[in-house]
Amino acid sequence: MEIQKPRGTRDFLPEEMAKRRSIENKLRETATRWGYGEIKTPTFEHIELFTLKSGEGIIGEIYNFKDKGDREIALRPELTAPVVRMYVEELQRSAKPLKFFYFDNCFRYERPQKGRFREFFQFGVEIIGSARPESDAEVIALAVEMLNSAGLKGDLHVGNLGIIRSLFKDILPEHQGKIMRLVDKKDDKGLEEFLETINAPSGMRGKLFRLIGLRGENAVHEARELVGDIEPVSQFEELLSLLDVYGVEYQVDFGIARGLDYYTGMVFEIYCEGLGAQNQVCGGGAYRLAALFGGEDTPSTGYAIGFDRIMEICEAKPESSERIVVISFDDTRKEAIVIAKKLRENVSTYLDVMGRKFKDQISYANTIGASHVVIAGKNELDAGKVSLKDMKTGKQELVTVEEVIKKVKAVFP
RNA sequence: GCCUGGGUGGGGUAGCUGGUCAUCCUAUGGGACUGUGGAUCCUACGACCCGGGUUCGAAUCCCGGCCCGGGCCCCA
């Protein structure tokens, strides 16, 4: 039996890589234009980084191992924790806000299915040092813009955990988590049953259900009536007005809980069609993790785009480009190398390395979809030129190597 | 971890109510055609996911594993 790739991993062939790179570059360009700087963190970290953030329970879904120095190491399952670790470790004294983006692979030991792999790629953004609605709004707008740049239009839901949490004052912390989980799942029946079991105050129950059901124009006003005129409501209101300025379409959704305790205020998710059960392509929010990793308490906001998921649904537009094949004969092979070398300074050039005969070389050029063929034969070389053949039109002309470059570049600038 | 469908040359397939050299297409290497491409022909290469079991005999039936797809749990 031949060796196969490990479960949940993938090989990417040239055609697909071209597509992935093209989208990746669009995301990268967008982030750069918004003033974010690219960073890179290690592929593996001490496992504590992730257990601190998410609890011991996540070890079951982490690729971890002991290294030769007996350290417990984890392949990163996500990138927010490493970025915050990096911040705490070496950037706490730098000018705020810090604006970063990253694109890297992550690893999770989970059951693979559509849009879900054991090695997957995340494109993320973090802004560190601001807790203001302005940064929340910018981050959301950037997320939307990035997806647009990839040709995608998602369904944006925005919520605020501070508002929903304000209802939980009298609830045990361990029960709060469970409630948030049920809210996030939109499992109303389960939520009702659970609230019954823990004998939650009936006033709070009613408010909770009304809150998570709020949608549309008046959602914020109604939320204020439910929870009072508290800070998170005003912040949220401000955020929405800023999103309007950005021209971002959104849906207020207090049902977004994102399960995690360290999210503090704004949370958002973006969904796209065509992905089956894994329809969330982007998720994020405002959080506080720096203190957890031993730094000063610092507000941050960020999100991650599931790169593999957007690749599933975004239209492939393979940018056509030139592809030149230099064809030679047994008596001009070496000259062809010199010509190819010259061409390669400017255009993508292929040269036969199979010792093929003329006809087979041109046939191969056709097979790989060459745009042009440069024929370097004795006749041409004697005249100090080559024949340039356009594979589309079939037309052929006698030109110099410099003219080849010029003519090809005219077609593929 | 659970439920469900599926694994036959590189890709796509037939066979799968057990029994001839496992079918066909395509791709790939070489050749026919001695400097002009998608054609044709010849030739080479190449598969029953792995391991057990039932049987005189298994690609075919049974069990386990691995892998792929879909769903659940989870989703940092």
Side-chain angles (χ1 to χ4, degrees):
Chain A
M1 193 56 213
E2 65 188 61
I3 295 176
Q4 302 176 319
K5 57 185 167 295
R7 174 157 213 207
T9 62
R10 293 157 295 163
D11 294 317
F12 300 110
L13 305 183
E15 196 181 338
E16 188 169 4
M17 275 313 292
K19 190 182 161 194
R20 291 176 73 92
R21 284 291 189 212
S22 145
I23 300 296
E24 178 194 331
N25 288 339
K26 283 176 180 155
L27 300 181
R28 182 173 268 126
E29 273 170 32
T30 306
T32 305
R33 279 203 312 270
W34 283 54
Y36 288 66
E38 179 165 13
I39 55 168
K40 197 158 193 98
T41 60
T43 304
F44 53 88
E45 298 267 2
H46 293 290
I47 199 166
E48 293 78 25
L49 179 63
F50 304 110
T51 53
L52 263 177
K53 179 185 174 220
S54 309
E56 295 291 324
I58 39 93
I59 290 181
E61 278 113 53
I62 283 183
Y63 273 93
N64 62 310
F65 60 94
K66 264 208 170 86
D67 73 6
K68 295 181 200 299
D70 220 28
R71 290 172 278 255
E72 196 58 48
I73 298 297
L75 299 185
R76 56 175 172 227
E78 48 113 2
L79 283 155
T80 301
V83 170
V84 175
R85 189 229 78 226
M86 179 191 81
Y87 162 74
V88 169
E89 197 169 338
E90 45 213 320
L91 292 167
Q92 288 197 74
R93 295 289 164 230
S94 44
K96 307 293 185 309
L98 293 161
K99 299 182 174 187
F100 299 135
F101 77 89
Y102 52 79
F103 174 67
D104 260 313
N105 52 348
C106 300
F107 308 85
R108 290 183 194 176
Y109 196 88
E110 294 183 293
R111 178 81 165 78
Q113 50 183 269
K114 189 177 178 67
R116 180 188 248 182
F117 307 93
R118 288 185 171 181
E119 182 187 22
F120 59 99
F121 290 76
Q122 284 196 337
F123 198 114
V125 160
E126 313 287 344
I127 174 163
I128 300 173
S130 170
R132 298 179 57 84
E134 289 93 321
S135 64
D136 290 348
E138 175 169 309
V139 159
I140 292 173
L142 177 52
V144 170
E145 174 102 356
M146 277 192 184
L147 292 176
N148 288 347
S149 77
L152 296 176
K153 192 166 172 1
D155 191 11
L156 167 66
H157 287 221
V158 186
N160 185 297
L161 294 186
I163 295 173
I164 194 167
R165 285 214 181 100
S166 71
L167 292 174
F168 296 163
K169 285 184 204 115
D170 306 324
I171 306 263
L172 291 172
E174 53 265 44
H175 289 158
Q176 290 183 19
K178 172 85 172 170
I179 292 173
M180 293 303 271
R181 215 166 287 265
L182 291 165
V183 167
D184 194 49
K185 241 188 284 184
K186 314 251 187 277
D187 181 3
D188 288 355
K189 195 175 279 177
L191 180 58
E192 190 145 16
E193 283 168 11
F194 182 70
L195 291 172
E196 189 65 42
T197 344
I198 63 169
N199 202 14
S202 63
M204 175 249 146
R205 279 190 228 183
K207 285 181 179 177
L208 177 59
F209 275 106
R210 270 193 284 161
L211 185 64
I212 61 180
L214 292 182
R215 294 286 186 282
E217 293 283 306
N218 293 315
V220 178
H221 294 296
E222 292 171 41
R224 180 171 276 130
E225 279 167 26
L226 286 169
V227 303
D229 191 15
I230 56 176
E231 177 71 15
V233 176
S234 320
Q235 287 241 340
F236 192 60
E237 194 167 31
E238 174 68 7
L239 166 67
L240 297 185
S241 78
L242 291 173
L243 288 179
D244 291 334
V245 175
Y246 274 108
V248 168
E249 283 178 40
Y250 56 83
Q251 211 183 107
V252 172
D253 184 351
F254 292 108
I256 298 177
R258 297 201 54 76
L260 282 302
D261 298 333
Y262 55 84
Y263 280 106
T264 51
M266 184 277 286
V267 284
F268 75 102
E269 297 182 341
I270 303 177
Y271 315 95
C272 282
E273 306 267 307
L275 282 164
Q278 321 293 328
N279 68 337
Q280 190 190 318
V281 297
C282 176
Y287 61 88
R288 283 170 190 266
L289 278 174
L292 191 59
F293 300 152
E296 283 175 40
D297 186 33
T298 312
S300 316
T301 307
Y303 64 84
I305 289 174
F307 188 75
D308 304 290
R309 291 186 188 170
I310 68 173
M311 289 310 300
E312 291 260 328
I313 51 178
C314 72
E315 296 295 317
K317 7 182 172 158
E319 293 155 27
S320 70
S321 64
E322 84 282 354
R323 183 177 287 189
I324 315 280
V325 176
V326 175
I327 292 182
S328 60
F329 303 85
D330 286 337
D331 59 347
T332 60
R333 298 235 177 236
K334 290 183 176 159
E335 288 83 347
I337 293 175
V338 175
I339 290 166
K341 192 181 173 202
K342 209 178 282 181
L343 287 172
R344 282 168 175 157
E345 291 170 12
N346 292 285
V347 292
S348 170
T349 304
Y350 184 92
L351 185 64
D352 177 59
V353 291
M354 299 279 282
R356 283 196 172 110
K357 285 185 265 188
F358 181 87
K359 189 164 186 172
D360 292 326
Q361 289 185 53
I362 201 164
S363 174
Y364 181 80
N366 181 64
T367 305
I368 65 171
S371 59
H372 297 81
V373 153
V374 166
I375 300 167
K378 198 99 178 55
N379 302 342
E380 288 86 354
L381 295 179
D382 284 347
K385 298 190 172 182
V386 294
S387 290
L388 174 65
K389 184 185 180 83
D390 185 318
M391 292 297 276
K392 266 246 165 61
T393 64
K395 282 185 187 147
Q396 192 170 318
E397 55 189 328
L398 198 63
V399 296
T400 65
V401 174
E402 286 71 25
E403 284 169 326
V404 168
I405 294 166
K406 212 176 291 175
K407 284 179 184 293
V408 170
K409 279 292 171 196
V411 187
F412 301 99

